[in-house]
Amino acid sequence: MMLDIGNLYYAYRNRSVLNGIDLKLDKGGLLTLLGRNGAGKSTLLNCIAGLLKPQSGRIMLDGRPVQDMSARQMAKITAYVPQYPPQTYRYTMLEYTVLGRAARLGMMQKPDAADYERARQALDVLGIARLADHIYMDASGGERQLANIAKALVQEPQLILFDEPTSALDYGNAAKTLRLIADLSEQGYTVVMTTHNPEHPLLLHGRCPNSQTAILDGSGHLKAGNTAEIVNEENLRQLYQVGLKLVDVPGQRHKACTLSGL
């Protein structure tokens, strides 16, 4: 079991955000977390990543309690791609990406040629190898987001947490990122991704029929299961409070989500 969460509670300023969360994800599993703005999706990812300490409950990563792991130990297992690309020094895109190797290097050890080659390959996978020598802070928000994904890849984690990975991306790069996430799952990585868009779990399910979706409601409760069972019209209408319909896509294995009207 890669991820095992039991009876997890987290409150912020006396407001209950996560209310008795139970969630299990096998190694190589793919989970999409749906929820409205402010529902607590990012909070849950931050708890998994060890960045927030819940009031009670357990979070186990590969059989080990998160609270017993150092930051370095966490970095060898888990990579976190935040929703908002961080502000940083004037590294080049390549230098920024190779920072993902930090957990794999010894004390005072510098990245070597092999580390930089891994970073170049990751930038190439994301389609931004041409920007390797460009300054990270001068890049667009979408380009920086892609660099953050590349940085996570060179970290060589077992679990990758993506918080709204397509939020700053155009349609083409968003599709490329979803394709990469499906690829990572098929390669054996465990992936958890948050999104507002119900199309995303449907598209991923077309590639990865064992993928799961979890819906976090406004009261901090979680409903999880196979995407085909969880992403249905009733659950989506309750979640978003608008009329939504799921329609078959001719020639495709997945359904599409559309508004029933405005």
Side-chain angles (χ1 to χ4, degrees):
M1 187 68 62
M2 186 67 242
L3 176 63
D4 182 4
I5 300 176
N7 203 29
L8 188 72
Y9 286 85
Y10 182 86
Y12 177 71
R13 292 182 179 176
N14 296 321
R15 172 180 170 255
S16 180
V17 180
L18 303 176
N19 195 358
I21 299 295
D22 293 306
L23 183 66
K24 296 180 184 294
L25 191 61
D26 290 330
K27 291 184 178 181
L30 171 58
L31 174 74
T32 304
L33 180 60
L34 282 175
R36 300 180 67 177
N37 291 335
K41 302 185 301 300
S42 297
T43 299
L44 180 55
L45 286 197
N46 283 324
C47 288
I48 296 171
L51 302 175
L52 291 177
K53 183 179 180 180
Q55 277 73 33
S56 62
R58 74 172 186 276
I59 303 176
M60 308 285 287
L61 289 180
D62 199 22
R64 301 179 61 187
V66 166
Q67 67 268 22
D68 293 344
M69 298 168 68
S70 68
R72 186 177 181 84
Q73 290 170 331
M74 283 289 296
K76 288 183 176 181
I77 295 177
T78 305
Y80 183 31
V81 181
Q83 180 177 355
Y84 302 106
Q87 305 296 309
T88 186
Y89 297 104
R90 294 188 66 78
Y91 295 111
T92 66
M93 294 287 258
L94 180 63
E95 291 167 340
Y96 180 74
T97 302
V98 86
L99 290 175
R101 298 297 297 163
R104 302 291 173 181
L105 302 178
M107 188 69 69
M108 305 301 291
Q109 182 182 356
K110 294 182 179 180
D112 61 18
D115 294 315
Y116 277 98
E117 181 57 28
R118 283 183 182 275
R120 289 187 186 278
Q121 291 174 357
L123 291 172
D124 187 51
V125 167
L126 273 298
I128 53 173
R130 70 189 187 283
L131 301 177
D133 296 325
H134 289 221
I135 299 299
Y136 173 86
M137 287 304 300
D138 292 343
S140 70
E143 290 166 343
R144 277 182 277 164
Q145 184 72 315
L146 293 173
N148 275 278
I149 297 174
K151 178 171 170 282
L153 295 182
V154 302
Q155 197 172 322
E156 294 186 284
Q158 298 178 53
L159 169 66
I160 307 180
L161 307 173
F162 291 96
D163 192 9
E164 294 282 348
T166 64
S167 61
L169 302 181
D170 60 48
Y171 198 87
N173 279 321
K176 184 186 299 182
T177 298
L178 291 175
R179 191 177 302 118
L180 172 65
I181 287 170
D183 290 343
L184 292 171
S185 178
E186 291 177 346
Q187 292 167 17
Y189 289 92
T190 309
V191 179
V192 179
M193 179 189 86
T194 70
T195 184
H196 294 296
N197 190 338
E199 289 279 357
H200 292 168
L202 293 170
L203 285 165
L204 291 169
H205 191 65
R207 272 278 305 274
C208 306
N210 293 323
S211 64
Q212 298 183 57
T213 296
I215 293 178
L216 187 61
D217 66 23
S219 60
H221 295 98
L222 195 73
K223 180 189 299 184
N226 185 276
T227 296
E229 300 171 358
I230 295 296
V231 184
N232 57 53
E233 291 181 357
E234 179 181 357
N235 284 341
L236 293 178
R237 287 171 180 169
Q238 289 179 356
L239 175 63
Y240 295 112
Q241 297 296 301
V242 294
L244 294 171
K245 292 186 67 66
L246 295 180
V247 297
D248 291 316
V249 180
Q252 301 295 324
R253 290 178 293 179
H254 65 273
K255 293 181 179 290
C257 180
T258 183
L259 287 170
S260 56
L262 295 176

